[in-house]
Amino acid sequence: MRELALSPGLILCYHLIMAESIRVNTKKRGRPVTTGKGTLVGVRLQPDDLSAIDDWRRKQGDLPGRPEAIRQLVEIGLKAKK
């Protein structure tokens, strides 16, 4: 049986090509990164209050999500107080 002799440069090139072709997607552990820098405030709302917020946000042009609608309503309330 005949042995093939590969040059060291060819072996290195083969290693680099194979290393690039085999990608392993490793998942990051832990909690996902939060999107905001502010302080999280958890609030429980009664069904009547939640439906009132949902009714208000449906009347808005851009249909904000519940968290954004609550932020906007708090801002409106704080400005009205002044």
Side-chain angles (χ1 to χ4, degrees), residues 6-7 13 18 20 31 38-40 42 44 49-50 52-55 58-59 61 63 67 71 75 78 82:
L6 297 175
S7 69
C13 182
M18 291 307 292
E20 288 180 9
R31 300 194 75 173
T39 303
L40 174 65
R44 290 186 190 270
D49 296 332
L50 197 55
I53 290 171
D54 288 339
D55 292 342
R58 283 189 202 101
K59 293 176 186 174
L63 186 62
R71 282 190 285 270
E75 185 178 340
L78 291 172
K82 290 181 181 181

Side-chain angles (χ1 to χ4, degrees), residues 39-47 49-50 53 66-67 69-71 73-74:
T39 303
L40 174 65
V41 178
V43 178
R44 290 186 190 270
L45 298 172
Q46 297 300 320
D49 296 332
L50 197 55
I53 290 171
R66 280 183 180 165
I70 292 169
R71 282 190 285 270
L73 287 168
V74 168

Side-chain angles (χ1 to χ4, degrees), residues 1 3-4 18-20 22-23 42 47 53 58 65 72 74 80:
M1 190 169 193
E3 287 188 33
L4 295 175
M18 291 307 292
E20 288 180 9
I22 301 173
R23 300 265 179 194
I53 290 171
R58 283 189 202 101
Q72 289 177 13
V74 168

